[in-house]
Amino acid sequence: MSQPGGPKPPVMSSGVAAFASSDMFKTPGYGKPKAKRWDHRVNIESKARKPSSLKSSAKYLATPGIISLGAGLPSSEYFPFERIDVKVPHPPHFSEEGTREFGVVKSAGKHDIAEGTSLYDLHVALNYCQGTGSGQMLRFVTEHTEIVHHPPYQDWQCNLTSGSTSALDLAYRMFTTRGEYVLTEEYAYSSAVEKAAPLGVKFVGVKMDAEGLLPSDMDSILTTWDPSIHGDAPKPWLLYTVPTGQNPTGSTQSEQRRREIYRVAQKHDVYILEDEPYYFLQMQTYTGSSKPSPPPPSSHREFLSSLVPSFLSMDIDGRVMRLDSFSKLISPGSRMGWVTASAQIIERFLRHCEVSSHSPSGISQIVLYKLLEETWGHGGYFDWLIHLRMEYTQRRDNICYACERFLPREVASWKEPMAGIFHWIKINWTVHPQAAQKGKLVIEEEIFQESIARGVLLVKGSCFLAEANSPSPGTPLTNDNGAVAASHDISFEEVPELFFRATFAAVDQEKVTEAIRRFGDTLREVFGLE
């Protein structure tokens, strides 16, 4: 690893399209059990995938003295990039101003490997790559995963992805079958639901509280499942969850909650897709506007111990695929992340990558390598994550202060988020003077339109109802024109509460305050308050 005192880096082929595996970089799991087999959960499409005949020949490229005329690789002689320079922060100067003054310029040349100045260069990065991603970046994320999560079984592996959105799409294609149901939070990340609809996959929303998904409701759904009222669909066995800073509710599952969910998963043999883009955006305790926020963690050890343990860290069965991403931590435009799962599942995932997404952008890989491996190392990356924690704590505190100041408490209520970038505001629609006549859906739309008129945009909570984007049981999956059938028209009146989602990540704090003031005025207007 790149940490001082860690084991020496393993010998790794640094050539074009070189084979790499997490097994080359992680600590041997002596004494740990092996993961369960998941043959009964992998679908027909995934089982039919064979190793790429072209990729399989890459193992011979490392043969000393071989002259390869086999691979269809273009010559780097014709890559019109001689060098890429990026200026990056140098710890602890992470601000834009600090980067301008103290940042370091990292260069990636075309022939750095041959010249002995780096283990990764443009000759390799800009050419084709294995479906695992480059060994250089695979090494970093494997080490990072081991440092943070210590998976408790032996045969875990990582695979680079083109971001979690792409990774989730591949996971659905591996596990789901048309007509089946997937479990998720009753309010869920809308893209996760919408991307499954054309596959004919339906969702069952599990009730939530302030800590997110309720294991008791999950258990009840699975225990009482009746195929006859679900279009003859079998009992769901796949759970998609965002445990930390959940989108849209901002809820974070406690360690106890996660262990309870995991036990329910074991009881019903459920496989878990743990989507964690906000895991490292866990914030300091909210203390209110009259008290200062707690100081930052004093060490990397303190920082890591403050994080809620992941499902991966408690996964003794290998029943978790964890989706990680650099989108919220470095840059969404990098389109780069990784998945961690058992060797069996990663092998199936790799077979899909080889003939679809292929691998993340080579430019993204080498830029992140220059930042994470050559400049920061794991220690510097943790310094960056601590910096993000404190920055997002300030932003969270600011929106909460604004809500306390401007939102009418007889209408609006909220729980301060512990992680992520979302603030979930509950609206007591029953105090509307015409609540009985109009109902929640009309009142929600009135609030939305009035807020737009006043110059502020929040997202309606009804947009995130998990079951709203699922085809109705027993209905055709396509209409007469061949298009995907309309979503299951859940009566909004069946859902007892009304919410709006605000984000505090991208807009500066003064504008967030002003936006909440405008939303408060909106509520007073719609509800006829003084």
Side-chain angles (χ1 to χ4, degrees), residues 360-403:
S361 159
I363 291 178
S364 291
Q365 291 193 67
I366 197 165
V367 168
L368 286 175
Y369 176 82
K370 291 292 176 179
L371 173 69
L372 297 171
E373 179 66 28
E374 290 195 352
T375 308
W376 288 353
H378 293 291
Y381 187 40
F382 290 142
D383 289 337
W384 169 253
L385 295 175
I386 292 170
H387 168 74
L388 287 184
R389 167 180 284 196
M390 303 311 295
E391 291 292 311
Y392 276 94
T393 294
Q394 287 184 15
R395 288 176 175 269
R396 185 274 316 273
D397 290 354
N398 178 70
I399 196 171
C400 291
Y401 299 161
C403 288

mmCIF file of all heavy atoms in Angstrom, residues 360-403:
data_model
loop_
_atom_site.group_PDB
_atom_site.id
_atom_site.type_symbol
_atom_site.label_atom_id
_atom_site.label_comp_id
_atom_site.label_asym_id
_atom_site.label_seq_id
_atom_site.Cartn_x
_atom_site.Cartn_y
_atom_site.Cartn_z
ATOM 1 N N PRO A 360 -13.705 2.241 -17.301
ATOM 2 C CA PRO A 360 -13.808 3.696 -17.184
ATOM 3 C C PRO A 360 -12.861 4.396 -18.162
ATOM 4 O O PRO A 360 -11.897 3.804 -18.659
ATOM 5 C CB PRO A 360 -13.393 3.980 -15.736
ATOM 6 C CG PRO A 360 -13.549 2.690 -15.024
ATOM 7 C CD PRO A 360 -13.277 1.621 -16.032
ATOM 8 N N SER A 361 -13.142 5.657 -18.416
ATOM 9 C CA SER A 361 -12.294 6.471 -19.285
ATOM 10 C C SER A 361 -10.843 6.436 -18.831
ATOM 11 O O SER A 361 -10.541 6.604 -17.643
ATOM 12 C CB SER A 361 -12.796 7.923 -19.278
ATOM 13 O OG SER A 361 -11.796 8.821 -19.692
ATOM 14 N N GLY A 362 -9.939 6.222 -19.771
ATOM 15 C CA GLY A 362 -8.518 6.216 -19.444
ATOM 16 C C GLY A 362 -8.039 7.558 -18.935
ATOM 17 O O GLY A 362 -7.158 7.620 -18.061
ATOM 18 N N ILE A 363 -8.606 8.637 -19.462
ATOM 19 C CA ILE A 363 -8.216 9.964 -18.984
ATOM 20 C C ILE A 363 -8.630 10.126 -17.522
ATOM 21 O O ILE A 363 -7.860 10.620 -16.686
ATOM 22 C CB ILE A 363 -8.837 11.061 -19.865
ATOM 23 C CG1 ILE A 363 -8.190 11.032 -21.258
ATOM 24 C CG2 ILE A 363 -8.667 12.438 -19.227
ATOM 25 C CD1 ILE A 363 -8.757 12.038 -22.230
ATOM 26 N N SER A 364 -9.840 9.697 -17.187
ATOM 27 C CA SER A 364 -10.273 9.767 -15.790
ATOM 28 C C SER A 364 -9.381 8.923 -14.898
ATOM 29 O O SER A 364 -9.001 9.346 -13.794
ATOM 30 C CB SER A 364 -11.722 9.284 -15.666
ATOM 31 O OG SER A 364 -12.616 10.179 -16.270
ATOM 32 N N GLN A 365 -9.031 7.730 -15.359
ATOM 33 C CA GLN A 365 -8.214 6.850 -14.533
ATOM 34 C C GLN A 365 -6.844 7.449 -14.241
ATOM 35 O O GLN A 365 -6.376 7.436 -13.101
ATOM 36 C CB GLN A 365 -8.064 5.484 -15.204
ATOM 37 C CG GLN A 365 -9.348 4.670 -15.246
ATOM 38 C CD GLN A 365 -9.090 3.229 -15.621
ATOM 39 O OE1 GLN A 365 -8.469 2.485 -14.871
ATOM 40 N NE2 GLN A 365 -9.551 2.832 -16.798
ATOM 41 N N ILE A 366 -6.206 8.008 -15.256
ATOM 42 C CA ILE A 366 -4.846 8.501 -15.010
ATOM 43 C C ILE A 366 -4.870 9.807 -14.218
ATOM 44 O O ILE A 366 -3.988 10.048 -13.384
ATOM 45 C CB ILE A 366 -4.057 8.651 -16.330
ATOM 46 C CG1 ILE A 366 -2.555 8.757 -16.005
ATOM 47 C CG2 ILE A 366 -4.544 9.835 -17.162
ATOM 48 C CD1 ILE A 366 -1.656 8.552 -17.192
ATOM 49 N N VAL A 367 -5.893 10.641 -14.419
ATOM 50 C CA VAL A 367 -5.982 11.870 -13.627
ATOM 51 C C VAL A 367 -6.219 11.527 -12.160
ATOM 52 O O VAL A 367 -5.583 12.097 -11.254
ATOM 53 C CB VAL A 367 -7.086 12.794 -14.176
ATOM 54 C CG1 VAL A 367 -7.385 13.922 -13.188
ATOM 55 C CG2 VAL A 367 -6.667 13.389 -15.521
ATOM 56 N N LEU A 368 -7.127 10.591 -11.896
ATOM 57 C CA LEU A 368 -7.371 10.193 -10.511
ATOM 58 C C LEU A 368 -6.157 9.477 -9.914
ATOM 59 O O LEU A 368 -5.869 9.618 -8.718
ATOM 60 C CB LEU A 368 -8.606 9.300 -10.431
ATOM 61 C CG LEU A 368 -9.941 10.034 -10.615
ATOM 62 C CD1 LEU A 368 -11.097 9.054 -10.649
ATOM 63 C CD2 LEU A 368 -10.163 11.059 -9.510
ATOM 64 N N TYR A 369 -5.432 8.726 -10.729
ATOM 65 C CA TYR A 369 -4.215 8.076 -10.241
ATOM 66 C C TYR A 369 -3.185 9.124 -9.811
ATOM 67 O O TYR A 369 -2.557 8.998 -8.750
ATOM 68 C CB TYR A 369 -3.637 7.189 -11.337
ATOM 69 C CG TYR A 369 -2.322 6.536 -10.971
ATOM 70 C CD1 TYR A 369 -2.299 5.374 -10.205
ATOM 71 C CD2 TYR A 369 -1.107 7.078 -11.388
ATOM 72 C CE1 TYR A 369 -1.094 4.763 -9.862
ATOM 73 C CE2 TYR A 369 0.099 6.481 -11.052
ATOM 74 C CZ TYR A 369 0.102 5.325 -10.292
ATOM 75 O OH TYR A 369 1.298 4.733 -9.958
ATOM 76 N N LYS A 370 -3.015 10.155 -10.627
ATOM 77 C CA LYS A 370 -2.061 11.216 -10.293
ATOM 78 C C LYS A 370 -2.449 11.920 -8.989
ATOM 79 O O LYS A 370 -1.594 12.299 -8.188
ATOM 80 C CB LYS A 370 -1.979 12.239 -11.435
ATOM 81 C CG LYS A 370 -1.323 11.703 -12.700
ATOM 82 C CD LYS A 370 0.159 11.440 -12.490
ATOM 83 C CE LYS A 370 0.814 10.823 -13.711
ATOM 84 N NZ LYS A 370 2.257 10.589 -13.520
ATOM 85 N N LEU A 371 -3.760 12.089 -8.790
ATOM 86 C CA LEU A 371 -4.246 12.738 -7.577
ATOM 87 C C LEU A 371 -4.155 11.817 -6.362
ATOM 88 O O LEU A 371 -3.530 12.155 -5.346
ATOM 89 C CB LEU A 371 -5.696 13.183 -7.776
ATOM 90 C CG LEU A 371 -6.417 13.741 -6.550
ATOM 91 C CD1 LEU A 371 -5.822 15.088 -6.145
ATOM 92 C CD2 LEU A 371 -7.908 13.857 -6.806
ATOM 93 N N LEU A 372 -4.779 10.636 -6.470
ATOM 94 C CA LEU A 372 -4.963 9.769 -5.308
ATOM 95 C C LEU A 372 -3.716 8.981 -4.927
ATOM 96 O O LEU A 372 -3.402 8.828 -3.750
ATOM 97 C CB LEU A 372 -6.127 8.806 -5.557
ATOM 98 C CG LEU A 372 -7.505 9.454 -5.736
ATOM 99 C CD1 LEU A 372 -8.523 8.426 -6.182
ATOM 100 C CD2 LEU A 372 -7.946 10.123 -4.444
ATOM 101 N N GLU A 373 -3.018 8.470 -5.925
ATOM 102 C CA GLU A 373 -1.870 7.608 -5.633
ATOM 103 C C GLU A 373 -0.571 8.408 -5.548
ATOM 104 O O GLU A 373 0.173 8.303 -4.586
ATOM 105 C CB GLU A 373 -1.751 6.524 -6.705
ATOM 106 C CG GLU A 373 -0.573 5.587 -6.521
ATOM 107 C CD GLU A 373 -0.691 4.713 -5.276
ATOM 108 O OE1 GLU A 373 -1.820 4.426 -4.844
ATOM 109 O OE2 GLU A 373 0.358 4.331 -4.727
ATOM 110 N N GLU A 374 -0.312 9.236 -6.562
ATOM 111 C CA GLU A 374 0.996 9.901 -6.624
ATOM 112 C C GLU A 374 1.065 11.161 -5.765
ATOM 113 O O GLU A 374 2.159 11.572 -5.371
ATOM 114 C CB GLU A 374 1.361 10.225 -8.071
ATOM 115 C CG GLU A 374 1.690 8.990 -8.916
ATOM 116 C CD GLU A 374 2.403 9.349 -10.216
ATOM 117 O OE1 GLU A 374 2.511 10.552 -10.543
ATOM 118 O OE2 GLU A 374 2.855 8.416 -10.910
ATOM 119 N N THR A 375 -0.074 11.801 -5.485
ATOM 120 C CA THR A 375 -0.046 13.042 -4.703
ATOM 121 C C THR A 375 -0.491 12.821 -3.265
ATOM 122 O O THR A 375 0.217 13.176 -2.321
ATOM 123 C CB THR A 375 -0.938 14.120 -5.354
ATOM 124 O OG1 THR A 375 -0.583 14.275 -6.721
ATOM 125 C CG2 THR A 375 -0.790 15.455 -4.638
ATOM 126 N N TRP A 376 -1.666 12.242 -3.067
ATOM 127 C CA TRP A 376 -2.245 12.134 -1.732
ATOM 128 C C TRP A 376 -1.882 10.845 -1.007
ATOM 129 O O TRP A 376 -1.597 10.877 0.193
ATOM 130 C CB TRP A 376 -3.763 12.250 -1.811
ATOM 131 C CG TRP A 376 -4.277 13.614 -2.121
ATOM 132 C CD1 TRP A 376 -3.544 14.767 -2.197
ATOM 133 C CD2 TRP A 376 -5.632 13.979 -2.382
ATOM 134 N NE1 TRP A 376 -4.361 15.832 -2.492
ATOM 135 C CE2 TRP A 376 -5.654 15.378 -2.613
ATOM 136 C CE3 TRP A 376 -6.828 13.289 -2.432
ATOM 137 C CZ2 TRP A 376 -6.833 16.063 -2.892
ATOM 138 C CZ3 TRP A 376 -8.003 13.967 -2.722
ATOM 139 C CH2 TRP A 376 -7.999 15.339 -2.948
ATOM 140 N N GLY A 377 -1.951 9.718 -1.692
ATOM 141 C CA GLY A 377 -1.904 8.445 -0.981
ATOM 142 C C GLY A 377 -3.165 8.283 -0.149
ATOM 143 O O GLY A 377 -4.048 9.159 -0.127
ATOM 144 N N HIS A 378 -3.276 7.181 0.547
ATOM 145 C CA HIS A 378 -4.490 6.944 1.326
ATOM 146 C C HIS A 378 -4.639 7.966 2.453
ATOM 147 O O HIS A 378 -5.756 8.430 2.736
ATOM 148 C CB HIS A 378 -4.481 5.523 1.898
ATOM 149 C CG HIS A 378 -4.596 4.467 0.848
ATOM 150 N ND1 HIS A 378 -5.741 4.262 0.119
ATOM 151 C CD2 HIS A 378 -3.694 3.561 0.374
ATOM 152 C CE1 HIS A 378 -5.557 3.278 -0.737
ATOM 153 N NE2 HIS A 378 -4.313 2.841 -0.615
ATOM 154 N N GLY A 379 -3.530 8.346 3.072
ATOM 155 C CA GLY A 379 -3.608 9.328 4.145
ATOM 156 C C GLY A 379 -4.110 10.672 3.667
ATOM 157 O O GLY A 379 -4.971 11.298 4.297
ATOM 158 N N GLY A 380 -3.590 11.134 2.533
ATOM 159 C CA GLY A 380 -4.046 12.401 1.981
ATOM 160 C C GLY A 380 -5.495 12.359 1.552
ATOM 161 O O GLY A 380 -6.224 13.352 1.672
ATOM 162 N N TYR A 381 -5.943 11.201 1.037
ATOM 163 C CA TYR A 381 -7.343 11.058 0.647
ATOM 164 C C TYR A 381 -8.246 11.149 1.873
ATOM 165 O O TYR A 381 -9.300 11.799 1.834
ATOM 166 C CB TYR A 381 -7.549 9.730 -0.083
ATOM 167 C CG TYR A 381 -8.931 9.550 -0.674
ATOM 168 C CD1 TYR A 381 -9.601 10.596 -1.299
ATOM 169 C CD2 TYR A 381 -9.579 8.318 -0.611
ATOM 170 C CE1 TYR A 381 -10.867 10.428 -1.846
ATOM 171 C CE2 TYR A 381 -10.841 8.133 -1.158
ATOM 172 C CZ TYR A 381 -11.472 9.191 -1.773
ATOM 173 O OH TYR A 381 -12.729 9.009 -2.312
ATOM 174 N N PHE A 382 -7.830 10.530 2.977
ATOM 175 C CA PHE A 382 -8.624 10.651 4.201
ATOM 176 C C PHE A 382 -8.632 12.093 4.699
ATOM 177 O O PHE A 382 -9.649 12.569 5.219
ATOM 178 C CB PHE A 382 -8.082 9.711 5.277
ATOM 179 C CG PHE A 382 -8.322 8.258 4.989
ATOM 180 C CD1 PHE A 382 -7.361 7.308 5.307
ATOM 181 C CD2 PHE A 382 -9.494 7.830 4.394
ATOM 182 C CE1 PHE A 382 -7.581 5.963 5.037
ATOM 183 C CE2 PHE A 382 -9.726 6.492 4.116
ATOM 184 C CZ PHE A 382 -8.758 5.557 4.436
ATOM 185 N N ASP A 383 -7.525 12.819 4.544
ATOM 186 C CA ASP A 383 -7.515 14.240 4.894
ATOM 187 C C ASP A 383 -8.551 15.004 4.069
ATOM 188 O O ASP A 383 -9.259 15.878 4.578
ATOM 189 C CB ASP A 383 -6.129 14.840 4.650
ATOM 190 C CG ASP A 383 -5.088 14.370 5.658
ATOM 191 O OD1 ASP A 383 -5.479 13.945 6.764
ATOM 192 O OD2 ASP A 383 -3.886 14.412 5.326
ATOM 193 N N TRP A 384 -8.616 14.677 2.789
ATOM 194 C CA TRP A 384 -9.595 15.308 1.899
ATOM 195 C C TRP A 384 -11.019 14.993 2.358
ATOM 196 O O TRP A 384 -11.892 15.867 2.394
ATOM 197 C CB TRP A 384 -9.382 14.844 0.467
ATOM 198 C CG TRP A 384 -10.472 15.215 -0.494
ATOM 199 C CD1 TRP A 384 -11.399 14.381 -1.038
ATOM 200 C CD2 TRP A 384 -10.748 16.519 -1.035
ATOM 201 N NE1 TRP A 384 -12.239 15.077 -1.881
ATOM 202 C CE2 TRP A 384 -11.861 16.387 -1.900
ATOM 203 C CE3 TRP A 384 -10.164 17.765 -0.870
ATOM 204 C CZ2 TRP A 384 -12.393 17.471 -2.593
ATOM 205 C CZ3 TRP A 384 -10.695 18.861 -1.561
ATOM 206 C CH2 TRP A 384 -11.794 18.693 -2.409
ATOM 207 N N LEU A 385 -11.276 13.735 2.724
ATOM 208 C CA LEU A 385 -12.614 13.339 3.151
ATOM 209 C C LEU A 385 -12.992 14.023 4.462
ATOM 210 O O LEU A 385 -14.165 14.388 4.657
ATOM 211 C CB LEU A 385 -12.683 11.814 3.294
ATOM 212 C CG LEU A 385 -12.497 11.026 1.988
ATOM 213 C CD1 LEU A 385 -12.469 9.532 2.265
ATOM 214 C CD2 LEU A 385 -13.583 11.366 0.974
ATOM 215 N N ILE A 386 -12.043 14.221 5.354
ATOM 216 C CA ILE A 386 -12.309 14.976 6.579
ATOM 217 C C ILE A 386 -12.648 16.424 6.228
ATOM 218 O O ILE A 386 -13.571 17.029 6.805
ATOM 219 C CB ILE A 386 -11.108 14.907 7.541
ATOM 220 C CG1 ILE A 386 -10.938 13.477 8.074
ATOM 221 C CG2 ILE A 386 -11.268 15.892 8.702
ATOM 222 C CD1 ILE A 386 -9.645 13.252 8.844
ATOM 223 N N HIS A 387 -11.900 16.985 5.272
ATOM 224 C CA HIS A 387 -12.195 18.348 4.798
ATOM 225 C C HIS A 387 -13.620 18.432 4.258
ATOM 226 O O HIS A 387 -14.367 19.373 4.588
ATOM 227 C CB HIS A 387 -11.179 18.724 3.709
ATOM 228 C CG HIS A 387 -11.533 19.963 2.939
ATOM 229 N ND1 HIS A 387 -11.412 21.226 3.468
ATOM 230 C CD2 HIS A 387 -11.998 20.121 1.662
ATOM 231 C CE1 HIS A 387 -11.778 22.117 2.564
ATOM 232 N NE2 HIS A 387 -12.146 21.477 1.464
ATOM 233 N N LEU A 388 -14.022 17.458 3.435
ATOM 234 C CA LEU A 388 -15.384 17.449 2.910
ATOM 235 C C LEU A 388 -16.404 17.355 4.039
ATOM 236 O O LEU A 388 -17.453 18.014 4.000
ATOM 237 C CB LEU A 388 -15.581 16.274 1.948
ATOM 238 C CG LEU A 388 -14.926 16.362 0.568
ATOM 239 C CD1 LEU A 388 -15.329 15.148 -0.273
ATOM 240 C CD2 LEU A 388 -15.302 17.646 -0.161
ATOM 241 N N ARG A 389 -16.116 16.528 5.039
ATOM 242 C CA ARG A 389 -17.047 16.413 6.167
ATOM 243 C C ARG A 389 -17.306 17.775 6.791
ATOM 244 O O ARG A 389 -18.466 18.154 7.038
ATOM 245 C CB ARG A 389 -16.498 15.463 7.230
ATOM 246 C CG ARG A 389 -17.257 15.563 8.546
ATOM 247 C CD ARG A 389 -16.722 14.632 9.620
ATOM 248 N NE ARG A 389 -17.138 13.267 9.372
ATOM 249 C CZ ARG A 389 -17.080 12.299 10.278
ATOM 250 N NH1 ARG A 389 -16.610 12.558 11.491
ATOM 251 N NH2 ARG A 389 -17.466 11.086 9.997
ATOM 252 N N MET A 390 -16.257 18.517 7.057
ATOM 253 C CA MET A 390 -16.432 19.798 7.723
ATOM 254 C C MET A 390 -17.135 20.812 6.825
ATOM 255 O O MET A 390 -17.956 21.623 7.291
ATOM 256 C CB MET A 390 -15.070 20.332 8.194
ATOM 257 C CG MET A 390 -14.316 19.381 9.129
ATOM 258 S SD MET A 390 -15.317 18.754 10.499
ATOM 259 C CE MET A 390 -15.632 20.257 11.423
ATOM 260 N N GLU A 391 -16.821 20.780 5.523
ATOM 261 C CA GLU A 391 -17.484 21.690 4.582
ATOM 262 C C GLU A 391 -18.978 21.392 4.495
ATOM 263 O O GLU A 391 -19.817 22.304 4.521
ATOM 264 C CB GLU A 391 -16.836 21.573 3.204
ATOM 265 C CG GLU A 391 -15.426 22.126 3.127
ATOM 266 C CD GLU A 391 -15.393 23.634 3.293
ATOM 267 O OE1 GLU A 391 -16.181 24.321 2.603
ATOM 268 O OE2 GLU A 391 -14.591 24.123 4.108
ATOM 269 N N TYR A 392 -19.327 20.116 4.363
ATOM 270 C CA TYR A 392 -20.734 19.756 4.240
ATOM 271 C C TYR A 392 -21.478 19.927 5.562
ATOM 272 O O TYR A 392 -22.692 20.185 5.561
ATOM 273 C CB TYR A 392 -20.888 18.330 3.708
ATOM 274 C CG TYR A 392 -20.799 18.282 2.197
ATOM 275 C CD1 TYR A 392 -19.590 18.018 1.562
ATOM 276 C CD2 TYR A 392 -21.918 18.544 1.412
ATOM 277 C CE1 TYR A 392 -19.501 18.001 0.172
ATOM 278 C CE2 TYR A 392 -21.848 18.527 0.032
ATOM 279 C CZ TYR A 392 -20.633 18.249 -0.581
ATOM 280 O OH TYR A 392 -20.550 18.251 -1.951
ATOM 281 N N THR A 393 -20.775 19.801 6.674
ATOM 282 C CA THR A 393 -21.401 20.093 7.964
ATOM 283 C C THR A 393 -21.846 21.553 8.006
ATOM 284 O O THR A 393 -22.959 21.867 8.453
ATOM 285 C CB THR A 393 -20.429 19.802 9.123
ATOM 286 O OG1 THR A 393 -20.159 18.395 9.168
ATOM 287 C CG2 THR A 393 -21.019 20.230 10.460
ATOM 288 N N GLN A 394 -20.995 22.455 7.530
ATOM 289 C CA GLN A 394 -21.359 23.876 7.487
ATOM 290 C C GLN A 394 -22.585 24.104 6.608
ATOM 291 O O GLN A 394 -23.489 24.873 6.963
ATOM 292 C CB GLN A 394 -20.188 24.709 6.966
ATOM 293 C CG GLN A 394 -19.038 24.867 7.938
ATOM 294 C CD GLN A 394 -17.960 25.787 7.392
ATOM 295 O OE1 GLN A 394 -18.168 26.519 6.427
ATOM 296 N NE2 GLN A 394 -16.791 25.758 8.008
ATOM 297 N N ARG A 395 -22.608 23.439 5.463
ATOM 298 C CA ARG A 395 -23.741 23.611 4.542
ATOM 299 C C ARG A 395 -25.025 23.038 5.140
ATOM 300 O O ARG A 395 -26.106 23.636 5.008
ATOM 301 C CB ARG A 395 -23.420 22.964 3.192
ATOM 302 C CG ARG A 395 -22.385 23.729 2.387
ATOM 303 C CD ARG A 395 -22.013 23.007 1.106
ATOM 304 N NE ARG A 395 -21.112 23.823 0.290
ATOM 305 C CZ ARG A 395 -21.501 24.684 -0.639
ATOM 306 N NH1 ARG A 395 -22.783 24.849 -0.876
ATOM 307 N NH2 ARG A 395 -20.618 25.376 -1.332
ATOM 308 N N ARG A 396 -24.917 21.871 5.763
ATOM 309 C CA ARG A 396 -26.091 21.283 6.429
ATOM 310 C C ARG A 396 -26.601 22.203 7.533
ATOM 311 O O ARG A 396 -27.809 22.449 7.654
ATOM 312 C CB ARG A 396 -25.696 19.906 6.988
ATOM 313 C CG ARG A 396 -26.835 19.085 7.618
ATOM 314 C CD ARG A 396 -27.094 19.392 9.103
ATOM 315 N NE ARG A 396 -25.921 19.503 9.934
ATOM 316 C CZ ARG A 396 -25.313 18.504 10.547
ATOM 317 N NH1 ARG A 396 -25.756 17.278 10.418
ATOM 318 N NH2 ARG A 396 -24.246 18.735 11.326
ATOM 319 N N ASP A 397 -25.670 22.689 8.351
ATOM 320 C CA ASP A 397 -26.063 23.573 9.439
ATOM 321 C C ASP A 397 -26.755 24.823 8.903
ATOM 322 O O ASP A 397 -27.758 25.289 9.463
ATOM 323 C CB ASP A 397 -24.841 23.970 10.268
ATOM 324 C CG ASP A 397 -24.279 22.816 11.081
ATOM 325 O OD1 ASP A 397 -24.910 21.739 11.094
ATOM 326 O OD2 ASP A 397 -23.198 22.991 11.681
ATOM 327 N N ASN A 398 -26.248 25.363 7.806
ATOM 328 C CA ASN A 398 -26.800 26.588 7.247
ATOM 329 C C ASN A 398 -28.250 26.413 6.810
ATOM 330 O O ASN A 398 -29.108 27.255 7.086
ATOM 331 C CB ASN A 398 -25.947 27.042 6.061
ATOM 332 C CG ASN A 398 -26.480 28.289 5.392
ATOM 333 O OD1 ASN A 398 -26.436 29.381 5.950
ATOM 334 N ND2 ASN A 398 -27.014 28.134 4.178
ATOM 335 N N ILE A 399 -28.546 25.290 6.117
ATOM 336 C CA ILE A 399 -29.925 25.110 5.664
ATOM 337 C C ILE A 399 -30.856 24.845 6.838
ATOM 338 O O ILE A 399 -32.015 25.282 6.848
ATOM 339 C CB ILE A 399 -30.032 23.987 4.594
ATOM 340 C CG1 ILE A 399 -31.372 24.093 3.856
ATOM 341 C CG2 ILE A 399 -29.854 22.604 5.189
ATOM 342 C CD1 ILE A 399 -31.485 23.175 2.646
ATOM 343 N N CYS A 400 -30.340 24.173 7.870
ATOM 344 C CA CYS A 400 -31.166 23.942 9.053
ATOM 345 C C CYS A 400 -31.431 25.238 9.807
ATOM 346 O O CYS A 400 -32.550 25.476 10.294
ATOM 347 C CB CYS A 400 -30.504 22.911 9.960
ATOM 348 S SG CYS A 400 -30.493 21.232 9.274
ATOM 349 N N TYR A 401 -30.414 26.107 9.912
ATOM 350 C CA TYR A 401 -30.621 27.411 10.542
ATOM 351 C C TYR A 401 -31.692 28.186 9.772
ATOM 352 O O TYR A 401 -32.569 28.829 10.379
ATOM 353 C CB TYR A 401 -29.330 28.235 10.541
ATOM 354 C CG TYR A 401 -28.163 27.636 11.281
ATOM 355 C CD1 TYR A 401 -26.854 28.072 11.019
ATOM 356 C CD2 TYR A 401 -28.334 26.655 12.259
ATOM 357 C CE1 TYR A 401 -25.765 27.538 11.693
ATOM 358 C CE2 TYR A 401 -27.238 26.116 12.934
ATOM 359 C CZ TYR A 401 -25.966 26.555 12.641
ATOM 360 O OH TYR A 401 -24.877 26.018 13.296
ATOM 361 N N ALA A 402 -31.610 28.144 8.446
ATOM 362 C CA ALA A 402 -32.576 28.877 7.621
ATOM 363 C C ALA A 402 -33.984 28.338 7.821
ATOM 364 O O ALA A 402 -34.952 29.112 7.896
ATOM 365 C CB ALA A 402 -32.167 28.793 6.146
ATOM 366 N N CYS A 403 -34.102 27.012 7.919
ATOM 367 C CA CYS A 403 -35.428 26.426 8.150
ATOM 368 C C CYS A 403 -35.980 26.865 9.503
ATOM 369 O O CYS A 403 -37.168 27.187 9.630
ATOM 370 C CB CYS A 403 -35.342 24.902 8.074
ATOM 371 S SG CYS A 403 -35.098 24.248 6.408
#
